Amino acid sequence: MTFCIHVPSDTTAKALGADRLTKLLAATANERKVDLSIKRNGTRALYWLEPLIEVETKQGRFGFGPVKEADIDSLFDAEFWRGDVVHPLALGLVEDIPYLKQQQRLTFARAGVIDPLSLADYQAKEGYRGLKNALAMDAQPLVDEIKASGLRGRGGAAFPTGIKWQTVLDAPAEQKYVVCNADEGDSGTFADRLVMECDPFMLIEGMTIAGLAVGATQGYIYLRSEYPLAFKTLHDAIAIAYENNLLGAGILGSDKHFDLEVRLGAGAYICGEETSLLESLEGKRGLVRAKPPLPAIVGLFGQPTVVNNVLSLAAVPFILDKGAKAYADYGMGRSLGTLPFQLAGNVKRGGLVELAFGPTLRELMFDFGGGTRNGRPLKAVQVGGPLGAYLPESQWDIPLDYEAFAKEGAVLGHGGVVMFDDSVDMSEQARFSMEFCVAESCGKCTPCRIGSTRGVEVIDRIRSGENVDGNMSLLSDLCETMVDGSLCAMGGMTPFPVQSAMKHFKDDFTKRATSTTNTEEI
Amino acid sequence: MTTPRFVTWDPAIAQTIIEDFKSKPGALLPLLHAIQERFSYIPEEAVGLIATALKQTRAEIHGVISFYHHFRTKQPGRHVVEVCRAEACQALGARRLEAYAKSMLGVDYHQTTADNNITLEPVYCLGNCSCGPSVRVGDEIYADVDTQRFDELVDNLKTDRLEVQ
């Protein structure tokens, strides 16, 4: 009898040794004459359990993890391939692991379940049902469906996706484009990568539907070059989609046409900003464009262009399959549907947590995350990437909702949550924010290009205890100038982490002042 | 797969690559990637060939190359080791790892070791943010890289084994 097991194959699982583990499992099975069929799934993104081996049984999939090479012999001794066996790494049914069970996985329902490049797996789990529905609809009802779902851009700005699509649909042009922003540069985020590595057909399907909705026949996925595995997976998945008449001319026997290509970025964070991304796709320096005109009207090569984040497009097949209402039933207020949060940094149970909007940051970090990895007290958390504010404990009870965060001067962004223990020096983090802006500013506007360099210098003076009060007030001024005067979010939001660090962790800035300007003993 | 990943500069090979890409819309970035993939960097000679093919000036091509961190105009060492210095890795000790990598290899960022084996580069996020600190070598990414694991990685690179999947 053949026993079927799954070994994850996403970047993190591989980085933790999943490929070598797969080879050893196969070799050991061969030696011990166990008939094992080893499949490679994506990942469930329960990262503290990776590599997480799953065994298929009639009752469901049983998990074992985190599996190290040294565990292989004992796993075979326990006949792990039977699933429900006693072993120190046995996790029971994977679907019953509370971290997973308590999530609302809509976008990530298939992640870690299917073989990412198996079209049959994808279709067996509701894949391409959305596209079939979409092919039977006219453009306007399609856009209406997205509007009714309440879907807002998941890249960070949270602009209503349906409105953006409407603008492109209404713009008359011979050629329109759908561009997927897969330049997931925010530290602490990996949800886009997971979509592309674990369920690439979902993104392809979402983009195809977007093309039908707005009348675009060409799509580009602009992917960051730091994601080599996602590049390979997308490349292969697109080829499979073409072979199966899911891309190209006459999609599924209809008269619809949509072409899709992956383009690699080249290590510029700013190219995650949509106009910079378009410049880059056109083969230029990624300089930010002034808006208006909006990309929806004058976008790629001057044509009307939908620019959506991976997660926005990935939500589309579900909406077209199950209906707008099914999606809008999740969430709160104006934040409808689910957001995949990513627990990262110093966290005990890191990974992907897809939840309807509404729970608090504290629930996310402690109930799911289990606090810090090293057990030290949690001091600060940065939500929403390098341009997001650092939140102290007094702000951990804010509900995870776009408006609630905005009210506190924070951003949910792409849902990245990076946790820091009490050993972090927040003035050093503030310095890094400015330093990052120096490295990544496109250079077009002065507040961002020069302001960030001056910011590093002023923070260095503060950190060396030089005229701390004066320099703190200078830094505040500089932050305001950058926020008000920058052309895009790079310079306009770089001050957010700096200002929040100054406001909530002032001691980290002023502690050195005593050593040079005061004569008092510390 | 034992063929070397990169070849030495050859204008004929470059011209073939250029011909393959030049009529794509927005050809320059894919073209630069293809050149760097083949030669490990973008030689000065390639800039002229690309400029001619795309009907742009050399300055325009140079402007694009210099804008993007990924593109390099000097030949790197046999291996490029990228250390993540973004926040999620910082929270797990990336600053310590960066300092260690520099002192252990005796180079700063963007520099190559004296034996021409390793070029050290910073990288801002590899998307492995729950299991940092993260390091990339070629197209492989490594998780939980403390100083000891960094030593092991570098040791493996010293044996000059080609990375075979």
Side-chain angles (χ1 to χ4, degrees), chain A residues 277 323 480:
Chain A
L277 185 156
E480 266 178 51

Side-chain angles (χ1 to χ4, degrees), chain A residues 2 39 41 110 115 141 153 243 256 291 420 442 449 470:
Chain A
T2 307
K39 291 187 183 170
N41 56 340
R110 280 175 297 261
D115 169 352
E243 281 161 24
K256 304 295 184 188
K291 288 193 274 192
F420 291 82
C442 83
R449 184 186 67 245

Side-chain angles (χ1 to χ4, degrees), chain B residues 69 72 80-84 109-111 119-123:
Chain B
H69 301 306
R72 58 177 83 250
V80 177
V81 172
E82 296 170 90
V83 178
C84 178
Y109 282 133
H110 315 300
Q111 293 178 351
T119 300
L120 187 68
E121 294 284 354
V123 64

Side-chain angles (χ1 to χ4, degrees), chain A residues 6 13 20 92 100 121 178 197 220 234 267 278 316 422 432 440 455 475 482 494:
Chain A
H6 299 260
R20 203 174 142 71
L100 192 57
D121 277 11
V178 175
E197 291 179 356
Y220 290 102
L234 281 176
L278 294 174
V316 168
D422 62 348
F432 178 81
E440 301 299 330
L475 183 59
M482 289 176 71
T494 286

Side-chain angles (χ1 to χ4, degrees), chain A residues 121-193:
Chain A
D121 277 11
Y122 181 65
Q123 285 171 320
K125 298 273 181 193
E126 302 172 351
Y128 277 115
R129 295 203 330 205
L131 178 65
K132 281 177 192 142
N133 291 341
L135 283 167
M137 293 163 76
D138 287 329
Q140 187 58 57
L142 246 176
V143 172
D144 290 342
E145 197 68 17
I146 297 301
K147 280 187 197 161
S149 74
L151 178 64
R152 293 166 70 180
R154 295 287 187 258
F159 187 81
T161 306
I163 307 281
K164 195 183 266 187
W165 287 21
Q166 185 71 58
T167 312
V168 178
L169 174 62
D170 292 343
E174 287 284 305
Q175 178 70 59
K176 300 178 188 178
Y177 296 99
V178 175
V179 170
C180 172
N181 183 345
D183 195 45
E184 186 178 51
D186 288 357
S187 175
T189 62
F190 42 81
D192 293 353
R193 176 179 68 70

Side-chain angles (χ1 to χ4, degrees), chain A residues 12 15 19 187-188 193 224-225 261 263 265-267 280 284-286 343-345 373 382 419 428-429 432 435 440, chain B residues 24-26 29 33 63 67-70 85 87-88 90-92 95 124-125 127-130 136 141 143 165:
Chain A
T12 292
D19 286 345
S187 175
R193 176 179 68 70
R224 63 201 301 260
S225 57
E261 192 184 328
R263 288 284 177 93
S280 184
K284 301 173 191 161
R285 291 163 68 89
L343 284 173
R373 192 200 283 192
Q382 188 178 32
M419 293 159 60
E428 196 172 20
Q429 295 310 115
F432 178 81
E435 189 191 354
E440 301 299 330
Chain B
K24 269 177 177 286
L29 257 72
H33 272 294
F67 183 85
Y68 295 96
H69 301 306
H70 179 80
R85 50 181 318 232
E87 289 88 342
Q90 288 167 8
L92 291 168
R95 284 199 178 90
Y124 295 96
C125 196
N128 182 46
C129 312
S130 297
R136 175 176 176 179
I141 288 157
Q165 189 60 28

Side-chain angles (χ1 to χ4, degrees), chain A residues 421-442:
Chain A
D421 71 18
D422 62 348
S423 67
V424 67
D425 176 343
M426 296 307 295
S427 69
E428 196 172 20
Q429 295 310 115
R431 185 191 191 279
F432 178 81
S433 298
M434 287 291 187
E435 189 191 354
F436 183 67
C437 187
V438 172
E440 301 299 330
S441 171
C442 83

Side-chain angles (χ1 to χ4, degrees), chain A residues 212-285:
Chain A
L212 299 178
V214 303
T217 53
Q218 175 69 52
Y220 290 102
I221 300 171
Y222 185 88
L223 175 70
R224 63 201 301 260
S225 57
E226 290 85 345
Y227 283 180
L229 181 63
F231 180 65
K232 187 178 178 307
T233 310
L234 281 176
H235 196 267
D236 293 348
I238 288 172
I240 294 168
Y242 269 105
E243 281 161 24
N244 288 276
N245 203 19
L246 293 158
L247 282 174
I251 293 171
L252 292 176
S254 69
D255 59 351
K256 304 295 184 188
H257 180 180
F258 190 71
D259 284 309
L260 184 57
E261 192 184 328
V262 195
R263 288 284 177 93
L264 271 186
Y269 177 78
I270 191 62
C271 290
E273 196 282 334
E274 62 178 0
T275 62
S276 162
L277 185 156
L278 294 174
E279 290 286 305
S280 184
L281 263 181
E282 292 181 6
K284 301 173 191 161
R285 291 163 68 89

